[in-house]
Amino acid sequence: MDTSVIFMPVRELGELLRTRQVSPVELTELSLERLESLGPRYNAVVTITRDRALRQARIAEEEIGASNYRGPLHGVPYGVKDLLATSEGIPTTWGATPFREQTFDYDATVVRKLEEAGAVLVAKLAMVELAGGMGYLSPDNTFSGPGITPWGGEKSWAGGSSSGPGSAVSAGIVPFAIGSETWGSILTPANNCGIAGLRPTYGRVSRYGAMALSWTLDKLGPLCLTADDCGLVLEAMAGPDTNDPTAIDENYRYNPEATSRRFKLGVLKDLTENASDGVRANFSQALTVLEQVADIEEVELPDLPYDAVTRTILNAEFASAFEEFLESGKTSELASDVTKFGAYARHTVLAKDYIRALRIKGIIGRAADDVLARYDAIVAPSRSDVATPIDQEIRTIFGRVRDTMGAVGNVAGLPSISVPNGFGERGLPTGIQFMSRAYGEDAALSVARSYQALTDWHQQHPPGLV
Amino acid sequence: MSNDNKEAQEMSDEMFQMVQRRYGQNLTKEELEQVQKGVEGIVSAAEAMKAVELKNGDEPHSLFVPYRKEG
């Protein structure tokens, strides 16, 4: 097959599929071949869903041939983080040895919706065990091996916990993938792998069939090559679901039209003071680029304990979600030494403190909206540093600064998209994120698209993969 | 050590002892030290949240939908 389709955005692929210049079956076979040849290099894959993929691809081929075109994802291969339930005996491992044989007799709502959109599920992709809910210090934290970014001369971490979705998209193995974020798990792999990753508003996408880490923080979202693709995929994923009472009662219609007015962007004060030199330089350069299309001003959030609130909620909900597992003693089977005992401390979160965190959460939501309502987006580095070498502890780098954007965005359930904005230390990608007010995905996507129209970072791909 | 810090440390020690009683037999000395740090972090987060003044009407921001089966 013509290899020019590798690293082609979903929007362009979809047009080639619609006009029958590309066959869904041949495109799926190419993806399956790359899953086998490249997947192990990055520890990106848990299960290749070959039979299901080829069946879905043949159906897509027949439907498109009969002019029954479903939309831009019809016939496009994709992978999902291995915490989304899949039927047909396909394991859903949650990235953890004690769950390697786990199967479900239903598909997660997101998987079902993407099937209805005509997309082709080719793989269950690697992840940090239990989505990092037990805590972890090093990239080697799952039975499938440390997730590795396709970028850089030495092996560096793909980011977590959606490591496989990040590296598989970055390596041109799949055109898009689905990840999840409780606190950083979409934006971090997007940053480390040099791709786009969208964390939708909490409730925008049904969580039914996804492993629960923290019921009030978990979100599902796409990882793609471009911001525009993230909008296309989000439209297919989003919408009401009677199986998830937190799913909002409206569909999402992506608006890809460019705006003619200048954007208004906010930048949090002192945000980069502890960032690496490469991150700081690339962020500064990105702001200069954005000044072509946006008015940018410094902004401050009220002084609230964002990290403490988010962490307290996460700790308490995880301790409940995995209480039986923690009591079972099976934590000894986990891959990372830290995760084997990391969660025991969480039994000590007091009910009154959890409730207090939920009360402050309301205050944070209102405070954040007061600020965000004045802007199309708040802009910030996606991470304060480039990817960690796989033989180093993550906390030595992540612990250098508080993640205010991540804490506010996740506890208040706000959408944010990360796109690449250059290369920093060791030739590794850096990212810039655009966070908007709740249900403001179109605003964040619009700014990100404009930034990508002015730069070519998203058109650069790891060498030697075509 | 201020009274607040002393109180937080005592709280942390008592909570750690609870974890140790319940799960200590499964954990090595080094692992227990890490668990103790984890407990200290949880108590520290709770202390940080006390800085926010809450009014009686500040409700928990969580969804509750009364259940009624369809039909």
Side-chain angles (χ1 to χ4, degrees):
Chain A
M1 184 176 191
D2 180 0
T3 54
S4 66
V5 296
I6 298 168
F7 296 121
M8 186 175 280
V10 170
R11 184 178 288 283
E12 293 174 39
L13 265 181
E15 187 58 16
L16 293 181
L17 286 158
R18 186 185 69 79
T19 54
R20 301 182 214 173
Q21 296 175 69
V22 167
S23 148
V25 173
E26 289 180 12
L27 187 62
T28 297
E29 285 172 341
L30 176 65
S31 192
L32 291 169
E33 180 189 313
R34 290 176 72 80
L35 280 161
E36 287 182 347
S37 61
L38 293 173
R41 188 187 298 181
Y42 307 116
N43 294 326
V45 185
V46 177
T47 305
I48 299 175
T49 55
R50 175 177 292 279
D51 292 345
R52 179 170 173 151
L54 290 172
R55 189 184 72 243
Q56 289 180 328
R58 288 189 198 104
I59 291 170
E61 190 141 314
E62 285 173 18
E63 290 179 340
I64 294 171
S67 299
N68 181 16
Y69 183 63
R70 297 188 187 211
L73 304 189
H74 204 170
V76 179
Y78 77 103
V80 295
K81 186 176 182 177
D82 201 20
L83 52 55
L84 287 170
T86 42
S87 59
E88 303 182 31
I90 299 166
T92 300
T93 68
W94 298 350
T97 296
F99 298 98
R100 281 188 85 158
E101 308 301 321
Q102 176 175 247
T103 57
F104 294 90
D105 61 1
Y106 64 94
D107 289 333
T109 296
V110 161
V111 173
R112 178 179 58 76
K113 280 178 166 285
L114 289 170
E115 182 164 12
E116 288 169 1
V120 175
L121 177 67
V122 291
K124 305 294 289 292
L125 298 171
M127 57 182 281
V128 174
E129 56 190 352
L130 305 180
M134 304 279 282
Y136 57 102
L137 292 180
S138 77
D140 192 7
N141 47 38
T142 175
F143 65 77
S144 53
I148 297 168
T149 175
W151 287 101
E154 61 181 302
K155 289 183 177 179
S156 298
W157 190 40
S161 62
S162 309
S163 53
S167 56
V169 172
S170 175
I173 295 172
V174 289
F176 76 92
I178 306 303
S180 72
E181 171 152 333
T182 304
W183 188 351
S185 289
I186 290 175
L187 265 56
T188 303
N191 179 82
N192 289 10
C193 294
I195 59 171
L198 172 64
R199 178 187 75 217
T201 306
Y202 177 83
R204 176 69 85 189
V205 176
S206 167
R207 297 168 297 113
Y208 179 67
M211 184 201 90
L213 195 165
S214 170
W215 296 282
T216 65
L217 297 173
D218 295 343
K219 284 86 54 185
L220 303 175
L223 293 106
C224 306
L225 292 171
T226 67
D228 181 48
D229 281 359
C230 286
L232 291 176
V233 177
L234 179 63
E235 180 171 315
M237 299 168 66
D241 182 10
T242 53
N243 287 316
D244 179 357
T246 66
I248 60 170
D249 194 24
E250 67 179 47
N251 287 308
Y252 168 69
R253 291 283 170 259
Y254 169 50
N255 177 12
E257 296 300 317
T259 179
S260 55
R261 66 173 176 82
R262 285 179 68 76
F263 296 111
K264 193 168 180 190
L265 302 177
V267 180
L268 289 186
K269 196 177 172 190
D270 301 331
L271 199 64
T272 60
E273 65 181 7
N274 291 313
S276 75
D277 291 343
V279 167
R280 195 180 307 116
N282 290 348
F283 184 63
S284 175
Q285 177 62 30
L287 291 182
T288 302
V289 170
L290 284 164
E291 282 173 350
Q292 296 175 50
V293 293
D295 298 321
I296 305 172
E297 64 185 33
E298 203 167 68
V299 62
E300 276 187 274
L301 286 169
D303 184 23
L304 290 166
Y306 302 106
D307 277 63
V309 168
T310 311
R311 198 165 297 286
T312 298
I313 293 170
L314 193 158
N315 284 341
E317 294 187 2
F318 181 87
S320 176
F322 282 90
E323 182 177 0
E324 288 78 9
F325 176 65
L326 292 168
E327 298 283 350
S328 73
K330 289 185 179 174
T331 55
S332 62
E333 297 172 27
L334 293 170
S336 162
D337 286 341
V338 173
T339 58
K340 290 173 184 171
F341 58 85
Y344 286 115
R346 298 175 191 188
H347 289 279
T348 64
V349 179
L350 299 178
K352 73 176 181 66
D353 291 331
Y354 173 64
I355 298 294
R356 185 174 189 84
L358 291 177
R359 294 172 74 190
I360 302 173
K361 178 179 181 170
I363 291 172
I364 290 174
R366 290 189 289 277
D369 194 58
D370 280 347
V371 172
L372 282 159
R374 305 200 296 267
Y375 303 96
D376 292 291
I378 288 182
V379 56
S382 302
R383 301 298 314 175
S384 61
D385 211 335
V386 297
T388 311
I390 59 166
D391 58 355
Q392 280 189 19
E393 284 197 353
I394 298 167
R395 194 174 286 178
T396 57
I397 291 174
F398 275 30
R400 279 166 44 181
V401 288
R402 283 184 178 274
D403 179 19
T404 301
M405 285 286 283
V408 173
N410 281 289
V411 80
L414 307 176
S416 187
I417 182 167
S418 172
V419 295
N421 71 337
F423 294 89
E425 289 77 3
R426 307 195 319 282
L428 291 165
T430 61
I432 183 169
Q433 65 170 309
F434 303 96
M435 185 169 83
S436 294
R437 63 193 305 201
Y439 313 110
E441 284 87 350
D442 272 348
L445 287 166
S446 184
V447 184
R449 278 199 316 273
S450 291
Y451 176 71
Q452 294 201 309
L454 294 167
T455 58
D456 69 351
W457 303 115
H458 59 294
Q459 292 166 343
Q460 298 186 33
H461 305 294
L465 295 181
V466 177
Chain B
M1 187 181 281
S2 71
N3 281 344
D4 282 353
N5 286 346
K6 189 179 171 199
E7 196 176 302
Q9 187 59 52
E10 287 170 359
M11 173 80 86
S12 175
D13 290 344
E14 286 167 14
M15 287 181 162
F16 170 66
Q17 283 166 22
M18 181 189 79
V19 177
Q20 193 174 23
R21 274 198 301 275
R22 187 152 185 182
Y23 302 107
Q25 72 278 8
N26 302 328
L27 301 170
T28 65
K29 186 182 169 203
E30 290 74 23
E31 288 168 349
L32 276 168
E33 284 171 4
Q34 291 300 316
V35 171
Q36 187 163 19
K37 284 182 187 169
V39 173
E40 286 167 1
I42 282 164
V43 172
S44 167
E47 290 299 309
M49 290 194 297
K50 283 182 184 170
V52 180
E53 193 175 325
L54 291 171
K55 297 190 287 290
N56 178 259
D58 286 325
E59 294 187 16
H61 192 78
S62 58
L63 179 80
F64 170 65
V65 180
Y67 178 76
R68 175 172 164 162
K69 194 174 180 180
E70 285 181 28

